[in-house]
Amino acid sequence: MAKTKDYGIGEFDFPRGWFMIADSEEVTVKPEPVRFFGRDFVLYRGNSGKVHLLDAYCPHMGAHLAINTTSYVVRDGQHVEGDSIRCPYHAWRFGPDGKCDDIPYYDKIPAAACVRSWPIVEQNGVIFVWHDPENGAPEFDVPYIDEWDDPSWVRWKIDRLGTLASHPQEVLDNMSDISHFKPTHGSKEVSYFENEYDGHTMVQYFGAGHRTLTTGEELLELKTWYDGPGILRSRMWGHLPSIMMIAHTPVDDGVIKVWHSLMVKSPHEVANTQDVAVARAYQEASRLAFAQDFEVWANKRPAINILQLPVDGPFHKGRIWYSQFYNPRAKAAEIQKRVNGVHVSKPRSSLGRAA
Ligand code: FES
Ligand SMILES: [Fe+2]
């Protein structure tokens, strides 16, 4: 298992950006332990409905704020009160800002009685956290998918794909990889393939016939982009218009957690039960296509150096783009300047619906 240092992409082990940490359905008023970026957290939904992520270990004596079933704090239903969480050990209580707001047996709260609270956004059925090794505030938003509120679209039901012992660099390389579509995914000849780098986003424009997802000469067309280092979205024009999200988040250095999901447009103003069934089947076909990449990643050795052919796609540029998130913010603009623009592997024709 290779680590960030092995790829030489920057000084931080974990990148800066928005990352998925759960889907909305999983997060309830029952605190859950989660682990990302090499650290442990407690994740819970306050009684207001808002989701909170705090560092897991109590500053008093280090108890885990989530993992407990036997303490009377938990058994008596005092674990979450309002939007605060009570430590199972001596019942100190912490607000959603991470500051201790009650010690039941003492009335002076020490200034150091706090845990770190992390910026959370819940949208499109996903819980995102902002992670920054320099502790800075978010420098961009997670774009909202407006189709979420359009009743003609069937919302996704997120596939939890579990953990993968692979460095995220291997996943990012896929954005540049023009040569794997035919052998791995069953595409026909690739008609066009371009990569566009623009600040914290990287876009891939892809058009090709497909053995199963389109018929005749029709192209399967994708506009796929990363908003920062961990969230991939894709607008797909194939059998049915759809929007895919693939999210991956570092758990430890060289290990990631992965999710897949797909929203599908129905032919009706309001999607009906039949449309939902069609969308679920289409999402499953999309998941199986992603599983073709996933299986390779799960079993490959790390591609620290790529034995690159000139026609293989701009891996090098993609890695430079990705390195902006592993280096101090102050260096990001300079890194972006090195790659901003369009790399054309095969030019887009006028056919491009994602133009
Ligand atoms: S260890 Fe948490 S209150 Fe004592
Ligand atoms: Fe792929």
Side-chain angles (χ1 to χ4, degrees), residues 174-175 177 180-181 184-185 204 289-290 292-294 297:
N174 212 238
M175 282 292 276
D177 194 343
H180 86 297
F181 284 103
T184 303
H185 296 302
Q204 178 203 85
F290 182 52
Q292 293 170 319
D293 292 309
F294 203 93
W297 295 330

Side-chain angles (χ1 to χ4, degrees), residues 58 60-63 87 89-92:
C58 181
H60 180 215
M61 287 178 67
C87 178
Y89 206 5
H90 311 91
W92 292 22

Side-chain angles (χ1 to χ4, degrees), residues 171 226 230-233 244-248 258-261 290:
V171 179
Y226 268 89
I231 307 163
L232 174 151
R233 324 277 183 114
M244 178 172 68
M245 181 191 71
I246 292 172
H248 70 264
V258 188
W259 298 264
H260 164 271
S261 52
F290 182 52

Side-chain angles (χ1 to χ4, degrees), residues 55-253:
D55 273 351
Y57 298 110
C58 181
H60 180 215
M61 287 178 67
H64 197 296
L65 293 175
I67 305 175
N68 192 291
T69 53
T70 52
S71 160
Y72 277 104
V73 169
V74 176
R75 288 158 78 174
D76 290 345
Q78 295 163 346
H79 204 175
V80 169
E81 289 176 340
D83 276 48
S84 299
I85 181 166
R86 226 179 248 291
C87 178
Y89 206 5
H90 311 91
W92 292 22
R93 194 179 67 186
F94 301 87
D97 59 357
K99 291 197 179 109
C100 181
D101 60 12
D102 182 46
I103 298 175
Y105 56 95
Y106 193 66
D107 58 8
K108 274 197 222 78
I109 297 175
C114 61
V115 288
R116 185 158 162 197
S117 162
W118 296 73
I120 292 289
V121 166
E122 179 173 22
Q123 63 184 30
N124 302 140
V126 181
I127 317 287
F128 296 105
V129 66
W130 174 259
H131 173 263
D132 182 356
E134 297 170 288
N135 298 339
E139 51 191 337
F140 53 90
D141 294 332
V142 192
Y144 190 80
I145 295 181
D146 293 329
E147 286 83 347
W148 185 255
D149 303 308
D150 178 343
S152 72
W153 281 77
V154 178
R155 292 178 174 183
W156 51 46
K157 190 160 174 22
I158 289 166
D159 298 311
R160 302 165 190 164
L161 302 183
T163 53
L164 179 65
S166 190
H167 192 277
Q169 178 64 74
E170 303 282 337
V171 179
L172 264 294
D173 283 341
N174 212 238
M175 282 292 276
S176 314
D177 194 343
I178 181 174
S179 314
H180 86 297
F181 284 103
K182 205 172 161 187
T184 303
H185 296 302
S187 296
K188 292 185 188 163
E189 243 12 273
V190 174
S191 299
Y192 64 83
F193 189 84
E194 297 186 8
N195 289 97
E196 186 173 5
Y197 310 90
D198 181 12
H200 66 263
T201 63
M202 164 163 52
V203 188
Q204 178 203 85
Y205 297 95
F206 167 87
H210 197 277
R211 271 156 60 167
T212 55
L213 294 178
T214 57
T215 45
E217 291 309 300
E218 204 194 355
L219 291 185
L220 172 69
E221 293 179 273
L222 272 65
K223 177 184 177 181
T224 305
W225 72 101
Y226 268 89
D227 292 304
I231 307 163
L232 174 151
R233 324 277 183 114
S234 187
R235 284 181 184 275
M236 308 202 281
W237 294 264
H239 233 31
L240 301 165
S242 60
I243 300 170
M244 178 172 68
M245 181 191 71
I246 292 172
H248 70 264
T249 306
V251 173
D252 285 295
D253 195 355

